[in-house]
Amino acid sequence: MDLKELRSRVTGAVTTSEDSHYERLRRSMVWNRLVPQRRPHVVVQVANENAIAEAVRFARTNGMKVAVRGGGHSWIGYSLRDDSLLIDLGRLKSVSLDPQARIAIIQPAVTSQDFNRRLAAEGLAFPVGHCPTVPMSGFLLNGGIGWNYRAWGPSCCSVEAARIVTADGNLVVASEKENTDLLWAVRGAGPGFFGIVTEYTVRVFPAPGAIITSTYYYPLAMVSEVGDWIGSIAQELANQVETTIFISAAPAEIADRCRGSNGFACGVSATAFAENAEAAASMLKVLENCPLVADCLRRVVNFPTPIETLHRMNSLSTPPEHRYLTETMWTNSPPANVLAASRERFLEAPSTKSTQLFAFLASVNAAELADCAYSMSGDALSICSAAWERPGDDAANRAWHSDTTAALDEYAIGHYIGESDILADPGRAERCFDKESWQRLQILRGKYDPDGLFHSFFSQH
Ligand SMILES: Cc1cc2nc3c(=O)[nH]c(=O)nc-3n(C[C@H](O)[C@H](O)[C@H](O)COP(=O)(O)OP(=O)(O)OC[C@H]3O[C@@H](n4cnc5c(N)ncnc54)[C@H](O)[C@@H]3O)c2cc1C
């Protein structure tokens, strides 16, 4: 099959590196404005499942490796690979819902926001991504650290089945009844997956009767004391409470009081997902007992935050059209130690748009993870993002982020494949999985993609 034939066979658009609009298209494949230089040879923007299989067969026949794009939210632009055929699933966004059975069938590129809206209209919910634009495609494949993670679990645990185009260009279904090892891999293999998911079947949840959030801002100097206290009560917080300590630019109301800390403040944000507002408020009440609360610079308590509102709030901390570097680590270290190290780094941050999150995500049920490639977890997930706008500031922000990641590394027990910079350190890919799951992934890759048609983690080029 040649390119002409490919164009006639696939429903969708085929663009090659010779086409005049190629560079614009290439850059649009990645949400982060820090777009990698890597250049696929052909980009196929598929309009249906059949086109995916055709494109895979074309690549195989023509000796090209295949890269996949869901919605382009990988921080390091995984989907852009040199000399590859890139299959872009961005046009596949349909959702079909059976509210009685609490089952949804979703195409890969549906965003967290669109999926949530569709569910909310039926009184249902799902642990969608924290930011509205995050597509379900790679989010579920990575494991998915979504809203109400401690109660609803990693999002991939709610994947009941998937339709997959394999390396031979065939379509298979993976479920609890057939191709169970593929289903295991879909639940968390991330960019190490050796096929293309064209559709997910997921179990959804009754929507909580009330979702409320309390946020307390403190001086940055107090971040380790605040961390210490939250760490001491973390076990008492109900599983339906998602608690995060963050470092971010101080909001306007308290900006004057944070000038001495490079414009940064720290904060505690806790969101309760409960049957009603009263129950939610009682889950968050403990935050008022913080012995440091008298030093709180600003607080917003028991604010109603349906997931739609949480999405709006979160998108403020990751605005589009910015340049980002992001690294995660799972840690079991005392929060005070990790946050003290972060504080020193933020005092020198070149951009006040950079953020650090320290999310208390313990209590994921180990039995639940038994059927998932997603296998790394700890007491807390730390996420450090450098964010800036101007290309001229790249060098300073790159150096700061790299030094900050190095400073925190001693506290890491592992990383999260969805938000780890495995280009900066290829060894991190393996540390995103437990040993057994990592080995099983390599074995399954050998079984389902023996010729290495699909790109994988960068270390396995
Ligand atoms: C602003 C922002 C907020 C985020 N928030 C969260 C969050 O709250 N929780 C969280 O867990 N993650 C979060 N992430 C990370 C996000 O989950 C990953 O970046 C994820 O890869 C996004 O999915 P995507 O389809 O856009 O990936 P893409 O960038 O399109 O793809 C990345 C790689 O994933 C693989 N892939 C994707 N889809 C498929 C498919 N259908 N079949 C086979 N392989 C596929 C391919 O290897 C592909 O190259 C966030 C990212 C951003 C930018």
Side-chain angles (χ1 to χ4, degrees):
M1 207 197 299
D2 59 14
L3 268 178
K4 199 169 153 205
E5 198 182 336
L6 178 70
R7 283 197 165 101
S8 73
R9 279 180 175 237
V10 298
T11 314
V14 176
T15 302
T16 76
S17 50
E18 327 273 271
D19 289 319
S20 59
H21 63 286
Y22 170 82
E23 184 54 17
R24 192 163 23 93
L25 176 65
R26 190 189 76 84
R27 293 184 65 80
S28 75
M29 293 288 105
V30 178
W31 181 85
N32 189 350
R33 286 302 82 210
L34 206 56
V35 182
Q37 293 301 317
R38 299 182 298 272
R39 292 168 62 83
H41 185 49
V42 184
V43 181
V44 186
Q45 295 173 278
V46 296
N48 58 31
E49 192 176 67
N50 187 45
I52 300 173
E54 290 287 359
V56 166
R57 288 195 283 268
F58 174 84
R60 174 171 281 291
T61 314
N62 289 276
M64 297 168 88
K65 276 184 93 97
V66 172
V68 185
R69 174 186 185 264
H73 269 54
S74 154
W75 298 103
I76 58 171
Y78 268 113
S79 54
L80 291 181
R81 296 300 183 92
D82 284 330
D83 304 321
S84 62
L85 180 142
L86 170 58
I87 300 181
D88 173 23
L89 311 174
R91 297 180 181 184
L92 307 180
K93 295 182 174 176
S94 82
V95 174
S96 92
L97 184 61
D98 180 342
Q100 269 70 46
R102 289 197 201 136
I103 289 288
I105 297 176
I106 55 178
Q107 284 192 318
V110 63
T111 62
S112 291
Q113 173 173 270
D114 288 349
F115 188 33
N116 175 64
R117 282 182 180 159
R118 183 68 196 279
L119 293 172
E122 301 285 349
L124 296 167
F126 188 77
V128 290
H130 288 81
C131 288
T133 54
V134 173
M136 300 311 288
S137 192
F139 169 79
L140 288 174
L141 204 57
N142 288 326
I145 299 176
W147 284 109
N148 204 12
Y149 176 91
R150 295 178 66 218
W152 286 337
S155 310
C156 66
C157 295
S158 295
V159 174
E160 304 233 307
R163 286 167 72 85
I164 297 159
V165 172
T166 55
D168 49 17
N170 290 328
L171 183 74
V172 301
V173 173
S175 71
E176 305 279 6
K177 297 199 185 97
E178 53 188 325
N179 298 307
T180 50
D181 50 4
L182 271 179
L183 181 65
W184 175 87
V186 163
R187 292 171 173 165
F193 189 60
F194 25 79
I196 304 180
V197 181
T198 66
E199 185 181 280
Y200 293 100
T201 300
V202 298
R203 190 165 30 88
V204 299
F205 298 82
I211 306 176
I212 65 168
T213 299
S214 292
T215 304
Y216 298 74
Y217 282 91
Y218 291 93
L220 181 64
M222 296 179 74
V223 71
S224 46
E225 286 169 82
V226 173
D228 213 10
W229 184 73
I230 297 286
S232 73
I233 60 149
Q235 297 297 333
E236 291 166 38
L237 288 165
N239 274 358
Q240 295 88 338
V241 178
E242 186 164 316
T243 312
T244 302
I245 297 183
F246 59 88
I247 298 175
S248 69
E253 299 88 332
I254 59 168
D256 275 351
R257 297 161 76 185
C258 298
R259 287 202 203 293
S261 50
N262 196 16
F264 288 100
C266 72
V268 178
S269 171
T271 301
F273 300 76
E275 314 78 71
N276 54 51
E278 204 181 14
S282 81
M283 288 178 191
L284 299 186
K285 205 161 173 246
V286 62
L287 296 175
E288 287 289 323
N289 301 337
C290 176
L292 309 162
V293 82
D295 295 310
C296 173
L297 299 174
R298 180 171 188 258
R299 72 179 101 167
V300 183
V301 176
N302 296 343
F303 186 65
T305 49
I307 293 177
E308 175 95 26
T309 306
L310 291 170
H311 273 158
R312 224 174 13 252
M313 287 159 59
N314 249 55
S315 62
L316 299 176
S317 59
T318 47
E321 301 302 323
H322 278 60
R323 304 164 88 78
Y324 290 94
L325 286 167
T326 292
E327 186 54 70
T328 51
M329 66 170 194
W330 285 104
T331 183
N332 289 335
S333 296
N337 299 7
V338 182
L339 291 164
S342 294
R343 179 187 56 216
E344 296 312 305
R345 298 297 312 147
F346 275 79
L347 289 172
E348 293 173 17
S351 167
T352 48
K353 296 189 172 188
S354 298
T355 56
Q356 162 91 30
L357 303 179
F358 190 91
F360 292 83
L361 297 180
S363 95
V364 167
N365 183 346
E368 203 175 26
L369 294 186
D371 292 328
C372 304
Y374 179 84
S375 47
M376 181 56 69
S377 63
D379 289 345
L381 184 74
S382 157
I383 310 170
C384 178
S385 290
W388 69 102
E389 269 178 286
R390 294 184 310 132
D393 297 333
D394 284 2
N397 282 285
R398 279 186 185 284
W400 177 80
H401 192 258
S402 158
D403 290 349
T404 304
T405 303
L408 297 181
D409 211 40
E410 66 174 289
Y411 305 108
I413 57 163
H415 307 274
Y416 172 48
I417 196 62
E419 302 188 275
S420 186
D421 188 344
I422 66 164
L423 275 170
D425 176 358
R428 277 188 204 130
E430 185 168 350
R431 298 198 297 274
C432 291
F433 300 88
D434 68 18
K435 206 171 163 198
E436 202 186 0
S437 302
W438 177 256
Q439 280 167 356
R440 188 171 177 197
L441 263 185
Q442 317 311 313
I443 293 166
L444 291 181
R445 170 165 275 268
K447 173 178 168 188
Y448 284 100
D449 186 13
D451 304 323
L453 181 80
F454 292 109
H455 273 292
S456 182
F457 306 115
F458 285 92
S459 49
Q460 294 182 342
H461 240 309

